[in-house]
Amino acid sequence: MAKGTNQHRDIRLWPGRPYPLGATWDGSGTNFALFSAHAEGVELCLFDPSGNQETGRITLPEFTHEIWHGYLPDVRPGQRYGYRVYGPYDPPAGHRFNHHKLLIDPYARELSGSLIWDDALFGYVVGSEEEDLSFDERDSAPFVPKSVVVDTAFTWGRNPKPAVPRDRSVIYEMHPRGYTMGHPDIPEATRGTFSALAHPTIPDYLEDLGINAVELLPVHAFLRDRHLEEQGLTNFWGYNSIAFFAPEPAYLHDGDIRDFKNFVQVMHDRGIEVILDVVYNHTAEGNHLGPTLSLRGIDNLSYYYLMNDDHRYYNDFTGTGNALELRHPQVLRMVTDSLRYWTEDMHVDGFRFDLATTLARVSGEYRENSAFLDIVAQDPALSGVKLIAEPWDTGPDGYQVGNFPPGWSEWNDRYRDTVRRFWKGDPGLLGTLASCISGSSDMYNRRGRRPWASINFITAHDGFTLRDLVSYNHKHNEANGEENRDGSDSNNSWNCGVEGPTDDPEILDLRNRQMRNMLTTLLLSSGVPMITAGDELGRTQEGNNNPYCQDNTLSWIPWDDQDAKNTDLLAFTRQLIALRRDHIVFRRSRFFHGGLIPGTEVKDITWLSPSGREMTDQDWKNDNLHTLIALISGEAGNRFLTEEGEPEPDDTFLMVLHSGHEPIRFKAPTLPPSGRWRETLCTGTCTARRGTYTLSERSAVLLQWEKP
């Protein structure tokens, strides 16, 4: 069909408006608006409810401020649609228009159907000697998910956001599908969906554990990689976004976006926040040899970060083939519109930004005053939600831990590596560990940032589980089909004597103790702790540290596997979270400084040697010392104000972390007024005799000062 013709003249078409972008139902009809600065024409293709049969093709009649738009008074919610965009196909100039390819609306609120891999999805002839300089004329419509017009109305009722103070947050990272796929109490038909996450058994469990924020791996609609599907695998994690406003269709029970909203409502009713792991740094269209599915065919030159010397190729700071061009105002608008949509319409409470350094690159360099960071800081809707950066990417100078601006928290991988190495027994870590457990002030104490700028974690979706961290020295990723080449080789793990499963009771006891040691460190550290779902149950991935393609029991939570469940570890984790909740000294909103607390004669935190005296420079440099002892003053954390308006102090604690392979004797100080130390928790054994304590090897103990 020639550009600009109209197959169905009986479909009423009005000029419409250039804003808002996307397909907007107003109660009477639907406005369609699509940005493309370099297109020569745009056709809207309508499909039947199955998405298989095209029922109409309409040329958008208006072009205003680089927005193509039109209003169809007869289009209602549920309508399937896509775009065909006309323009030059000239890859060296950055243009990849191909009107034979049906394109997903970047602002689609819902997608229908799954992508079916076929060579027709590519703008060039696959296999041609000219590669992407060739031009493919096959229609891709049969293989592309269809965008859907939706009615976004939802009755939230009196459902305020929990607004959990950042210093009180305990984050729980979970996979939206894998968390419920093996749960015996959830109806099988709903498992793996938001409906399953809203089942009462899930918020009951989270509330009992003490979790007040769940962080979901990507929920934006994403693609399953072709090479994985050909191997019988899939993109399980979802870091392959193709539509930034639409939930992943596979996670919606009955394909309705209200499923997600109901899940959020249920979590909020329990005081649990919902944080989304979002991927705005790249899209699933890949490099110059990738498919044409959406942005590439709409306006490749505007949307993507292209090489300066040859626009045929993409700058790749992400390791995925492309990067979005957030210097362009319309691309920046798309990302911030998406964030506002999920905040205001879907009621989520925050975002964790994958490879966030890429979002703040200007002319290839990370800039703390980039347009993206500036616009988020001043936006009334976004500046008030939780913003968490994964502060690195794969590009030049991509590691930016500690360099994000005020208002942002960051994944602190130095914390992760230090805690792992300490409990493995590596020497020379006492100073770094002391900094980490007291909030990493050397990285974050600037420009008014607080300890909650540090997201402390020991495990995450990417890497070993907690159980595997103490069970394997090496990764075992053979199931991924890459001959064990994928995944990190730097795990700082220790198998405690045997690689993998064992029946040896001494090794099993040591592994359980090591898991408790690391959880104790994590949950009693200053900053915001993040727990990976299933770690509290001792979940294993059989040594696979990169199960991104494993949508099976290897990645699912083993709810019904009694051999895998560690109920003692679960109870211990629950105890630690309760301790953190009840004692503000473990979740201070101010950094420890090791100095006198104003108005008192005591220090906020004092680092002690096993002899009971304060640590010296020589002690800190002693590689043979594997014991960190922190005296945390109750004056350092004020729980509440008395009736007279004076702050009431918290309890004082002595925390001892001992990673040595022999027991350690330490002297506990006597504090005024007279009292005694009481053991609050211990991962091993701790005995006392006349003020001197003996702590078993590789153990942690927390003592609490009791006044008479």
Side-chain angles (χ1 to χ4, degrees):
M1 187 184 71
K3 178 187 70 175
T5 61
N6 199 335
Q7 282 185 342
H8 291 266
R9 298 189 181 279
D10 56 336
I11 297 179
R12 294 187 294 167
L13 176 63
W14 301 344
R17 305 178 307 279
Y19 186 82
L21 290 164
T24 306
W25 160 251
D26 63 8
S28 299
T30 303
N31 189 79
F32 291 88
L34 180 75
F35 160 75
S36 181
H38 301 98
E40 297 171 355
V42 174
E43 287 179 339
L44 171 68
C45 300
L46 305 180
F47 292 83
D48 68 358
S50 72
N52 297 324
Q53 182 65 43
E54 185 174 326
T55 60
R57 190 177 296 192
I58 301 97
T59 299
L60 293 185
E62 299 292 330
F63 183 58
T64 307
H65 304 312
E66 300 182 334
I67 308 293
W68 301 83
H69 56 96
Y71 183 88
L72 277 68
D74 300 315
V75 166
R76 300 286 186 268
Q79 175 67 59
R80 273 64 174 162
Y81 71 97
Y83 289 111
R84 297 182 188 275
V85 181
Y86 291 80
Y89 188 84
D90 185 2
H95 298 306
R96 293 179 179 270
F97 296 101
N98 187 334
H99 63 276
H100 300 287
K101 311 306 169 184
L102 188 77
L103 305 174
I104 296 169
D105 182 356
Y107 278 71
R109 265 54 171 181
E110 186 178 304
L111 296 185
S112 175
S114 300
L115 181 132
I116 302 171
W117 281 107
D118 189 272
D119 287 350
L121 294 169
F122 296 79
Y124 63 95
V125 179
V126 175
S128 169
E129 292 183 358
E130 295 182 289
E131 293 187 324
D132 60 309
L133 299 180
S134 61
F135 187 77
D136 188 273
E137 297 184 354
R138 285 173 291 182
D139 184 8
S140 68
F143 312 106
V144 180
K146 307 306 183 291
S147 305
V148 183
V149 177
V150 300
D151 183 353
T152 59
F154 184 80
T155 303
W156 288 98
R158 301 180 66 179
N159 184 251
K161 293 185 177 183
V164 176
R166 295 175 192 252
D167 57 291
R168 292 177 178 267
S169 293
V170 178
I171 298 175
Y172 189 75
E173 187 196 41
M174 63 161 65
H175 191 284
R177 172 175 166 84
Y179 198 71
T180 61
M181 282 302 295
H183 205 299
D185 297 332
I186 294 176
E188 189 170 352
T190 67
R191 293 178 190 172
T193 68
F194 296 120
S195 180
L197 290 176
H199 188 279
T201 190
I202 299 302
D204 283 350
Y205 175 82
L206 296 173
E207 192 174 27
D208 179 65
L209 183 58
I211 300 300
N212 55 27
V214 293
E215 182 176 303
L216 300 181
L217 266 67
V219 304
H220 291 168
F222 62 90
L223 296 190
R224 280 74 177 166
D225 305 68
R226 189 175 196 175
H227 74 278
L228 291 176
E229 290 201 344
E230 290 172 349
Q231 298 178 66
L233 301 171
T234 188
N235 187 323
F236 178 59
W237 286 351
Y239 290 91
N240 210 21
S241 300
I242 195 59
F244 296 126
F245 293 77
E248 165 55 35
Y251 299 162
L252 298 174
H253 184 52
D254 294 333
D256 194 326
I257 63 171
R258 286 176 294 185
D259 195 25
F260 179 85
K261 294 182 176 182
N262 181 64
F263 153 69
V264 173
Q265 189 173 47
V266 167
M267 289 293 147
H268 284 181
D269 284 343
R270 300 298 189 94
I272 300 172
E273 295 185 324
V274 176
I275 298 171
L276 301 186
D277 192 336
V278 289
V279 187
Y280 294 111
N281 54 75
H282 75 280
T283 76
E285 291 185 300
N287 64 13
H288 62 291
L289 297 178
T292 296
L293 305 171
S294 183
L295 306 181
R296 171 170 285 144
I298 295 171
D299 193 342
N300 184 71
L301 184 60
S302 295
Y303 277 108
Y304 287 114
Y305 210 131
L306 305 180
M307 300 292 287
N308 290 330
D309 54 345
D310 188 348
H311 288 347
R312 177 185 177 187
Y313 301 105
Y314 298 78
N315 269 299
D316 182 11
F317 309 115
T318 66
T320 62
N322 67 55
L324 283 181
E325 177 56 284
L326 267 74
R327 294 177 300 178
H328 193 290
Q330 288 293 347
V331 183
L332 181 61
R333 176 184 182 180
M334 176 185 68
V335 171
T336 53
D337 280 353
S338 171
L339 291 169
R340 278 189 290 269
Y341 172 72
W342 288 96
T343 299
E344 298 178 334
D345 284 58
M346 304 295 248
H347 282 212
V348 304
D349 305 280
F351 305 93
R352 179 266 188 190
F353 293 82
D354 179 65
L355 301 181
T357 299
T358 295
L359 305 178
R361 285 189 180 273
V362 179
S363 299
E365 297 181 357
Y366 171 80
R367 298 283 179 83
E368 195 173 327
N369 62 346
S370 67
F372 172 74
L373 294 178
D374 283 349
I375 199 169
V376 168
Q378 62 80 41
D379 188 282
L382 302 181
S383 60
V385 301
K386 291 182 169 65
L387 302 171
I388 302 171
E390 183 184 37
W392 52 78
D393 65 13
T394 64
D397 296 320
Y399 188 77
Q400 295 294 333
V401 176
N403 293 330
F404 274 71
W408 284 78
S409 297
E410 303 172 22
W411 272 27
N412 187 347
D413 65 330
R414 189 187 72 166
Y415 180 97
R416 174 199 64 196
D417 294 344
T418 300
V419 173
R420 287 185 178 193
R421 291 182 59 206
F422 173 79
W423 285 112
K424 183 163 68 79
D426 289 0
L429 292 170
L430 293 187
T432 307
L433 180 64
S435 173
C436 286
I437 68 175
S438 57
S440 298
S441 61
D442 55 325
M443 293 195 298
Y444 298 115
N445 190 13
R446 64 185 186 90
R447 300 185 65 187
R449 300 183 81 182
R450 298 296 183 93
W452 50 256
S454 177
I455 302 296
N456 300 329
F457 68 106
I458 297 170
T459 66
H461 67 276
D462 185 4
F464 280 147
T465 65
L466 185 62
R467 180 175 170 184
D468 289 355
L469 193 61
V470 301
S471 303
Y472 295 91
N473 283 351
H474 310 287
K475 65 185 183 184
H476 296 269
N477 298 356
E478 291 80 5
N480 296 352
E482 300 181 44
E483 299 180 350
N484 207 34
R485 293 190 301 268
D486 63 304
S488 175
D489 292 312
S490 179
N491 297 293
N492 294 309
S493 62
W494 178 48
N495 64 19
C496 297
V498 173
E499 187 76 354
T502 181
D503 294 326
D504 187 316
E506 292 186 3
I507 293 178
L508 291 175
D509 178 69
L510 177 56
R511 288 177 177 177
N512 284 329
R513 192 160 69 251
Q514 287 285 78
M515 288 191 287
R516 286 167 170 75
N517 289 336
M518 285 186 269
L519 284 170
T520 298
T521 309
L522 175 65
L523 286 161
L524 300 186
S525 292
S526 190
V528 176
M530 185 185 79
I531 303 170
T532 303
D535 275 356
E536 76 279 10
L537 299 171
R539 182 177 76 89
T540 179
Q541 291 173 169
E542 300 176 10
N544 193 321
N545 73 351
N546 190 37
Y548 75 102
C549 55
Q550 302 292 334
D551 185 6
N552 50 50
T553 54
L554 190 70
S555 297
W556 301 346
I557 304 297
W559 296 110
D560 206 25
D561 185 349
Q562 296 303 317
D563 292 333
K565 288 169 63 175
N566 189 326
T567 54
D568 291 340
L569 187 63
L570 173 61
F572 186 77
T573 307
R574 187 184 298 117
Q575 178 189 6
L576 282 168
I577 294 175
L579 263 171
R580 182 179 184 86
R581 179 192 65 226
D582 295 340
H583 295 283
I584 198 171
V585 292
F586 301 123
R587 49 177 179 81
R588 278 167 49 96
S589 60
R590 298 181 183 275
F591 288 101
F592 286 106
H593 290 287
L596 292 178
I597 301 170
T600 75
E601 297 299 322
V602 297
K603 293 183 177 181
D604 53 6
I605 191 167
T606 305
W607 305 102
L608 303 176
S609 70
S611 66
R613 58 174 169 75
E614 195 162 349
M615 290 276 283
T616 65
D617 289 343
Q618 187 175 358
D619 291 327
W620 288 113
K621 297 174 183 177
N622 184 357
D623 288 350
N624 294 318
L625 186 58
H626 293 269
T627 308
L628 187 67
I629 304 176
L631 176 63
I632 307 171
S633 172
E635 298 284 353
N638 298 316
R639 288 189 291 190
F640 51 84
L641 295 178
T642 64
E643 292 182 358
E644 291 75 24
E646 295 295 325
E648 180 173 310
D650 198 350
D651 296 313
T652 293
F653 290 90
L654 190 72
M655 181 167 60
V656 183
L657 308 177
H658 174 57
S659 62
H661 62 274
E662 297 290 342
I664 186 72
R665 297 181 68 188
F666 67 91
K667 186 175 179 60
T670 300
L671 304 178
S674 60
R676 67 184 184 90
W677 289 106
R678 176 177 62 84
E679 181 181 303
T680 299
L681 66 83
C682 185
T683 63
T685 59
C686 187
T687 58
R689 183 178 175 83
R690 296 178 182 176
T692 298
Y693 291 76
T694 301
L695 179 63
S696 56
E697 68 277 8
R698 300 188 187 278
S699 299
V701 66
L702 184 69
L703 304 179
Q704 185 172 351
W705 182 253
E706 284 191 336
K707 300 175 183 177

